[in-house]
Amino acid sequence: MPSFTITPMVLVIPVLFAMIFLELLISYFKGIKVYRLQDTVTSINTGLLSQFVNSTGAIISVFMYSAIEQRFGTFEWSVESPFTWAFSLLFYDFLYYWVHRTGHEVNIFWAAHITHHSSEEFNISTAMRQASTGFYFKWVFYIPLAVLGIPLQVFIVVGLVDLLYQVWVHTQLVGRLGWLEKFLVTPSNHRVHHGQNDYCIDKNYGGIFSVWDQLFGTFAIEREEEPIVYGIRKPLNSWNPVWGNLHYYHLIVKGVKNQDSFSKKLMCIFGEPAWQGEDMPSYKSESPSVESYKKFATSPPRWVNLSGLLTTLLSATVLIFFLGTKGNMSVFIQTLWVAIAILMVFSAGALWSSSRWYRAE
Ligand SMILES: [Zn+2]
Ligand SMILES: [Zn+2]
């Protein structure tokens, strides 16, 4: 029997499921509908997929970070000092702001981050809808931490704290939080970030602290008089997590092929998503309203819904087993597991999409 290592994520996954269940229960008793089965399962499967891929992909970040830190690290930091942790978390969050902002304002990076925004619901499960493809570029933004000599283990822990802090802000059940909003990212602050109303686009990029948005002019306050429409201007229209991760890359490739000049081709890759070229989605459409907005919905038979739900629970169990034992596996076997995971969530998504494997239209 292979030895099992309890990693932070092994503990976090059941907690996330418990939080989703709790939010579902509270919203049910409050009479507010914030969950839809297919959306939730798609969000969770997207999160499981990203954990499978990133647990292997993170090797790149760890390798690059420690190589740069060892070669160029300028200062000595004591891991025992609270100052090291406080400074690192603050600086990490500042750099996260720029990672996140770039993820929204440059097409090729938006192709990765759009996955997180593709849900038309907003709840704790949305927090799990994380991209599988961002790992290849994100580490570059954190090079300043390595150059300052912040130890690798501090970088990993503050990164995890920053990520986990963001789970609770994905909820509609917590209202405005007064003075806290001046410093911290709160549910209200993050609801705006997930909105596709005009006033929400490219706002509130903060991870833990909302001060960066206030400093750099991207701060917006939730408007009570204008209910938020969640999601993206060109809807994903799919329950398939694999397609959810790839659809915008597909659009970029199509866009590049169809532009008539080299500069326009470059804009498809490095321009803003708001830039409109041939075959690139229009983000300049009118601001949607809750009354008229039609969310993506399909109505598969009950057995399909049930099998989707079971696949998710099975995938989560397999992921916990994988994370706990991957230390004993060769990279080849790990890659094989990742391939199986991709196949599993892919099949669940394909099952729900009635006529085409990746999207149901
Ligand atoms: Zn975002
Ligand atoms: Zn979010």
Side-chain angles (χ1 to χ4, degrees):
M1 186 72 188
S3 63
F4 190 88
T5 315
I6 299 180
T7 64
M9 269 302 162
V10 166
L11 299 173
V12 165
I13 293 162
V15 174
L16 288 174
F17 273 86
M19 285 174 77
I20 290 171
F21 187 67
L22 190 70
E23 193 190 30
L24 188 64
L25 216 62
I26 297 172
S27 60
Y28 175 78
F29 284 115
K30 280 188 148 184
I32 317 165
K33 189 169 166 53
V34 289
Y35 278 95
R36 285 190 298 153
L37 178 74
Q38 287 143 325
D39 173 85
T40 307
V41 167
T42 306
S43 289
I44 297 173
N45 282 353
T46 307
L48 299 176
L49 179 67
S50 103
Q51 277 304 310
F52 269 108
V53 175
N54 287 329
S55 69
T56 311
I59 296 169
I60 300 176
S61 311
V62 169
F63 175 79
M64 293 308 294
Y65 187 92
S66 54
I68 295 167
E69 198 263 303
Q70 274 162 29
R71 176 77 181 78
F72 301 103
T74 38
F75 300 105
E76 285 284 327
W77 299 79
S78 159
V79 180
E80 269 100 57
S81 161
F83 176 75
T84 303
W85 292 94
F87 172 80
S88 303
L89 184 64
L90 194 70
F91 197 33
Y92 181 98
D93 197 63
F94 168 75
L95 297 173
Y96 172 85
Y97 170 88
W98 290 105
V99 176
H100 194 184
R101 186 164 176 174
T102 314
H104 276 264
E105 298 182 10
V106 179
N107 268 324
I108 189 70
F109 300 135
W110 176 232
H113 185 60
I114 195 171
T115 315
H116 178 61
H117 287 270
S118 60
S119 172
E120 292 170 329
E121 303 297 333
F122 189 76
N123 52 49
I124 297 289
S125 80
T126 316
M128 290 181 78
R129 203 181 267 242
Q130 295 288 337
S132 297
T133 61
F135 64 87
Y136 70 91
F137 74 90
K138 285 184 182 167
W139 60 270
V140 175
F141 286 83
Y142 298 108
I143 288 177
L145 278 166
V147 173
L148 280 177
I150 300 296
L152 177 67
Q153 67 265 44
V154 177
F155 168 65
I156 291 175
V157 173
V158 295
L160 197 64
V161 169
D162 211 281
L163 181 71
L164 294 180
Y165 174 84
Q166 295 177 45
V167 172
W168 84 283
V169 301
H170 291 84
T171 183
Q172 296 181 57
L173 302 187
V174 177
R176 300 289 304 276
L177 292 175
W179 60 270
L180 266 182
E181 290 174 10
K182 288 199 186 334
F183 309 97
L184 292 176
V185 173
T186 60
S188 168
N189 176 283
H190 204 60
R191 284 196 285 273
V192 170
H193 180 66
H194 276 257
Q196 48 167 312
N197 309 46
D198 274 350
Y199 88 93
C200 300
I201 301 270
D202 293 346
K203 292 291 185 301
N204 299 357
Y205 294 121
I208 295 180
F209 303 104
S210 62
V211 285
W212 317 124
D213 283 295
Q214 294 172 67
L215 274 173
F216 301 113
T218 51
F219 188 66
I221 291 171
E222 190 175 18
R223 295 180 187 170
E224 230 167 88
E225 72 284 4
E226 192 184 335
I228 294 173
V229 179
Y230 298 103
I232 43 181
R233 284 277 172 98
K234 186 178 188 302
L236 174 62
N237 287 344
S238 169
W239 303 124
N240 196 324
V242 178
W243 182 239
N245 270 286
L246 298 179
H247 72 111
Y248 202 85
Y249 289 105
H250 176 251
L251 223 67
I252 290 179
V253 171
K254 238 167 77 178
V256 167
K257 244 169 51 191
N258 293 340
Q259 307 309 312
D260 49 17
S261 75
F262 185 68
S263 62
K264 281 184 182 172
K265 286 180 195 295
L266 279 181
M267 283 300 280
C268 293
I269 304 171
F270 300 109
E272 281 184 281
W275 178 76
Q276 285 182 290
E278 205 68 34
D279 274 326
M280 295 300 280
S282 161
Y283 280 87
K284 289 195 173 143
S285 52
E286 236 170 72
S287 194
S289 78
V290 174
E291 291 78 39
S292 58
Y293 190 77
K294 259 194 140 29
K295 290 177 185 173
F296 175 61
T298 55
S299 32
R302 200 170 280 174
W303 71 269
V304 173
N305 280 341
L306 190 68
S307 63
L309 201 60
L310 290 177
T311 316
T312 299
L313 293 174
L314 180 70
S315 307
T317 314
V318 172
L319 175 63
I320 290 173
F321 177 78
F322 171 74
L323 293 176
T325 56
K326 79 184 181 74
N328 313 315
M329 299 175 192
S330 65
V331 174
F332 175 71
I333 299 292
Q334 285 187 34
T335 314
L336 217 60
W337 272 103
V338 173
I340 292 171
I342 294 174
L343 209 68
M344 245 161 38
V345 297
F346 181 85
S347 325
L351 204 62
W352 270 341
S353 306
S354 48
S355 57
R356 297 175 74 169
W357 57 267
Y358 56 92
R359 59 195 159 95
E361 23 164 326

